[in-house]
Amino acid sequence: MLFRSVAATGGNVSWSNLDAYPAADRLIVDVSWHPDSRAVFTQVQNREQTWLDLVRVDAGTGRTTRVLRETTRAWVEPYGAPTWLADGTFLWVSARSGYKHLYRIRPDGTVVGAVTSGAWEWRTLYGVDERRGVVYFSAGIRRHVDTDVFRIRLDGSELTRLTATPGTHAARFNPSFTRFIDTWSDLSTPPQMSLHDTDTGARLNMIEANPVPALRTLRLGRAEFVEVRARDGVSLDGLLIRPPDFDPSRRYPVYQVTYAGPATAVVRNRWMGSELLFWQLLAQHGVMVWLLEDRKSTRLNSSHVALSRMPSS
């Protein structure tokens, strides 16, 4: 395969030969520029997705260098382009520990260290304040069904939660990382937006409370988050909605929600709109509603990924 790079303003075309990856067993899953525009970084996988190579392509000569490889007995999930820092290192998302986390890596593929770690799932990178050496991100540390906004230093120290209310939070930071807009909801509350201070997490102003008085008029069943332990000891998150007049001495029909995986978690403490209201309608008609995450959708990335440097090719 020939991979072409060319400056946005035109000019000579550089062709890179990726024939080291057989055409019948090759996926190009991501392509991105280095900030200095001197190189393109592409991610290549086999069709089984049991490995992923991050490949540097010199924009001038077309020369390719394999920076690192992720491997697993199951599959490697692509998590997007590297996030480059001013010192030449980059942030890279990997599930090598069994959980999705953020790593700091040198241009030659050497791992400087893990920025985040632990038995929890890293979810979204919001940005890096390099002046202060701080990364802002979201994760499900408090509970797997919740999503909070956090900051942590690039060396992995001083992990701080910036959001207080249980539920699902999503942030948008200003360019100087002094303020952020928090969009929050939970299972019974439609999304609200508020402005927060980045240092303390304190709310500075409510932007939109989004009251829905009609919800108070509905006869809603009790919704409860539960944990189910599988035969091998893995805990899976579940959600049970009981009829409003639930009687523990009775037997009820059960509506089980099924969905495609992986990475399609639905058992979350967030507002689910019309879908949740449909489940509540079933509960009002005497039906118990049951959701259970599969292994790849929730706490555990069941396939541990090995991350290694690769030589030049």
Tab-separated table of all heavy atoms in Angstrom, residues 3 10 12 16 24 27 46 50 76 104 106 139 152-153 189 199 216 231 250 253 257 270:
chain	number	residue	atom	x	y	z
A	3	PHE	N	1.021	5.202	0.946
A	3	PHE	CA	0.365	6.203	1.776
A	3	PHE	C	0.925	7.561	1.406
A	3	PHE	O	2.138	7.758	1.424
A	3	PHE	CB	0.615	5.903	3.258
A	3	PHE	CG	-0.071	6.837	4.195
A	3	PHE	CD1	-1.400	6.650	4.523
A	3	PHE	CD2	0.614	7.909	4.744
A	3	PHE	CE1	-2.024	7.501	5.401
A	3	PHE	CE2	-0.008	8.772	5.602
A	3	PHE	CZ	-1.337	8.572	5.941
A	10	GLY	N	-0.377	22.665	-0.907
A	10	GLY	CA	0.125	22.116	-2.156
A	10	GLY	C	1.614	21.864	-2.090
A	10	GLY	O	2.260	22.068	-1.069
A	12	ASN	N	5.104	19.230	-3.339
A	12	ASN	CA	5.487	17.878	-3.717
A	12	ASN	C	4.782	16.839	-2.854
A	12	ASN	O	4.545	17.034	-1.670
A	12	ASN	CB	6.997	17.697	-3.590
A	12	ASN	CG	7.746	18.603	-4.553
A	12	ASN	OD1	7.260	18.890	-5.645
A	12	ASN	ND2	8.931	19.054	-4.145
A	16	SER	N	4.563	6.957	0.989
A	16	SER	CA	5.127	6.023	1.963
A	16	SER	C	4.630	4.623	1.662
A	16	SER	O	3.436	4.416	1.427
A	16	SER	CB	4.723	6.426	3.383
A	16	SER	OG	5.242	7.695	3.686
A	24	ALA	N	-4.218	-7.972	2.261
A	24	ALA	CA	-5.404	-8.753	2.612
A	24	ALA	C	-5.652	-8.804	4.111
A	24	ALA	O	-6.693	-9.300	4.548
A	24	ALA	CB	-5.273	-10.174	2.074
A	27	LEU	N	-5.757	-3.027	8.266
A	27	LEU	CA	-6.743	-1.979	8.512
A	27	LEU	C	-6.002	-0.702	8.887
A	27	LEU	O	-5.140	-0.719	9.760
A	27	LEU	CB	-7.687	-2.362	9.660
A	27	LEU	CG	-8.541	-3.618	9.485
A	27	LEU	CD1	-9.281	-3.916	10.795
A	27	LEU	CD2	-9.525	-3.453	8.341
A	46	ASN	N	-4.219	-5.590	12.089
A	46	ASN	CA	-4.661	-6.736	11.303
A	46	ASN	C	-6.184	-6.842	11.409
A	46	ASN	O	-6.811	-6.187	12.246
A	46	ASN	CB	-3.984	-8.018	11.786
A	46	ASN	CG	-4.302	-8.344	13.239
A	46	ASN	OD1	-4.609	-7.458	14.036
A	46	ASN	ND2	-4.224	-9.612	13.589
A	50	THR	N	-5.897	-8.121	16.687
A	50	THR	CA	-5.141	-8.618	17.828
A	50	THR	C	-3.874	-7.808	18.069
A	50	THR	O	-3.176	-8.037	19.055
A	50	THR	CB	-4.764	-10.100	17.628
A	50	THR	OG1	-4.042	-10.232	16.394
A	50	THR	CG2	-6.008	-10.971	17.592
A	76	VAL	N	-7.549	-5.413	20.086
A	76	VAL	CA	-7.090	-4.097	20.531
A	76	VAL	C	-8.070	-3.056	20.011
A	76	VAL	O	-8.300	-2.959	18.803
A	76	VAL	CB	-5.670	-3.790	20.009
A	76	VAL	CG1	-5.232	-2.406	20.480
A	76	VAL	CG2	-4.689	-4.850	20.467
A	104	ARG	N	2.032	8.351	29.261
A	104	ARG	CA	2.908	9.343	28.633
A	104	ARG	C	4.062	8.602	27.975
A	104	ARG	O	4.736	7.786	28.620
A	104	ARG	CB	3.430	10.336	29.670
A	104	ARG	CG	4.147	11.535	29.072
A	104	ARG	CD	4.510	12.513	30.163
A	104	ARG	NE	5.131	13.709	29.633
A	104	ARG	CZ	5.597	14.701	30.391
A	104	ARG	NH1	5.492	14.624	31.715
A	104	ARG	NH2	6.132	15.768	29.841
A	106	ARG	N	7.451	8.616	25.040
A	106	ARG	CA	8.440	9.361	24.263
A	106	ARG	C	8.269	9.076	22.771
A	106	ARG	O	7.666	8.073	22.389
A	106	ARG	CB	9.858	8.998	24.717
A	106	ARG	CG	10.159	9.395	26.160
A	106	ARG	CD	11.638	9.213	26.486
A	106	ARG	NE	11.928	9.624	27.852
A	106	ARG	CZ	11.955	8.782	28.896
A	106	ARG	NH1	11.724	7.488	28.692
A	106	ARG	NH2	12.206	9.229	30.105
A	139	ALA	N	-13.862	10.026	34.270
A	139	ALA	CA	-13.701	8.612	34.608
A	139	ALA	C	-14.815	8.181	35.547
A	139	ALA	O	-15.525	9.014	36.131
A	139	ALA	CB	-12.337	8.369	35.260
A	152	ILE	N	-5.385	15.583	37.158
A	152	ILE	CA	-4.260	14.835	37.682
A	152	ILE	C	-2.998	15.416	37.078
A	152	ILE	O	-3.014	15.940	35.959
A	152	ILE	CB	-4.394	13.323	37.347
A	152	ILE	CG1	-3.424	12.485	38.163
A	152	ILE	CG2	-4.196	13.081	35.846
A	152	ILE	CD1	-3.676	10.986	38.055
A	153	ARG	N	-1.892	15.336	37.808
A	153	ARG	CA	-0.636	15.835	37.268
A	153	ARG	C	-0.085	14.837	36.256
A	153	ARG	O	-0.397	13.646	36.290
A	153	ARG	CB	0.369	16.086	38.394
A	153	ARG	CG	-0.100	17.127	39.410
A	153	ARG	CD	1.041	17.618	40.270
A	153	ARG	NE	2.029	18.325	39.481
A	153	ARG	CZ	1.911	19.606	39.081
A	153	ARG	NH1	0.847	20.314	39.387
A	153	ARG	NH2	2.876	20.160	38.386
A	189	THR	N	-33.072	12.964	36.589
A	189	THR	CA	-32.958	14.410	36.353
A	189	THR	C	-32.450	14.687	34.948
A	189	THR	O	-31.342	14.263	34.595
A	189	THR	CB	-31.989	15.052	37.366
A	189	THR	OG1	-32.321	14.645	38.687
A	189	THR	CG2	-32.046	16.567	37.255
A	199	ASP	N	-10.031	25.208	39.855
A	199	ASP	CA	-9.182	24.879	40.994
A	199	ASP	C	-9.932	24.132	42.080
A	199	ASP	O	-9.434	23.153	42.641
A	199	ASP	CB	-8.562	26.153	41.574
A	199	ASP	CG	-7.434	26.694	40.713
A	199	ASP	OD1	-6.832	25.896	39.964
A	199	ASP	OD2	-7.162	27.899	40.787
A	216	ARG	N	-42.814	15.317	37.882
A	216	ARG	CA	-43.328	15.103	39.234
A	216	ARG	C	-44.751	14.551	39.223
A	216	ARG	O	-45.244	14.064	40.239
A	216	ARG	CB	-43.267	16.407	40.026
A	216	ARG	CG	-41.844	16.905	40.287
A	216	ARG	CD	-41.828	17.986	41.355
A	216	ARG	NE	-42.518	19.190	40.904
A	216	ARG	CZ	-41.921	20.213	40.298
A	216	ARG	NH1	-40.611	20.153	40.030
A	216	ARG	NH2	-42.603	21.282	39.933
A	231	ARG	N	-19.752	-16.070	37.422
A	231	ARG	CA	-19.194	-17.303	37.973
A	231	ARG	C	-17.699	-17.199	38.241
A	231	ARG	O	-17.176	-17.862	39.140
A	231	ARG	CB	-19.477	-18.467	37.018
A	231	ARG	CG	-20.920	-18.946	37.040
A	231	ARG	CD	-21.085	-20.202	36.217
A	231	ARG	NE	-20.839	-19.956	34.801
A	231	ARG	CZ	-21.798	-19.637	33.940
A	231	ARG	NH1	-23.046	-19.512	34.349
A	231	ARG	NH2	-21.509	-19.442	32.659
A	250	ARG	N	-45.295	-11.287	44.993
A	250	ARG	CA	-45.849	-11.641	43.684
A	250	ARG	C	-44.741	-12.011	42.699
A	250	ARG	O	-43.581	-11.677	42.892
A	250	ARG	CB	-46.641	-10.459	43.109
A	250	ARG	CG	-47.995	-10.201	43.745
A	250	ARG	CD	-48.684	-9.075	42.998
A	250	ARG	NE	-48.703	-9.315	41.547
A	250	ARG	CZ	-49.006	-8.381	40.640
A	250	ARG	NH1	-49.304	-7.156	41.025
A	250	ARG	NH2	-49.002	-8.684	39.353
A	253	PRO	N	-43.719	-10.528	35.221
A	253	PRO	CA	-42.998	-10.713	33.957
A	253	PRO	C	-41.812	-9.756	33.903
A	253	PRO	O	-41.843	-8.686	34.525
A	253	PRO	CB	-44.045	-10.381	32.896
A	253	PRO	CG	-45.004	-9.472	33.584
A	253	PRO	CD	-45.048	-9.921	35.023
A	257	VAL	N	-33.602	-5.751	28.583
A	257	VAL	CA	-33.071	-4.912	27.523
A	257	VAL	C	-31.770	-5.532	27.017
A	257	VAL	O	-30.846	-5.795	27.786
A	257	VAL	CB	-32.806	-3.478	28.028
A	257	VAL	CG1	-32.245	-2.611	26.910
A	257	VAL	CG2	-34.092	-2.870	28.583
A	270	ARG	N	-27.501	8.345	34.408
A	270	ARG	CA	-27.692	9.518	33.562
A	270	ARG	C	-29.127	9.542	33.053
A	270	ARG	O	-29.828	8.527	33.083
A	270	ARG	CB	-26.730	9.486	32.372
A	270	ARG	CG	-26.908	8.274	31.465
A	270	ARG	CD	-25.946	8.303	30.286
A	270	ARG	NE	-26.046	7.090	29.479
A	270	ARG	CZ	-26.941	6.899	28.510
A	270	ARG	NH1	-27.825	7.859	28.232
A	270	ARG	NH2	-26.967	5.767	27.831
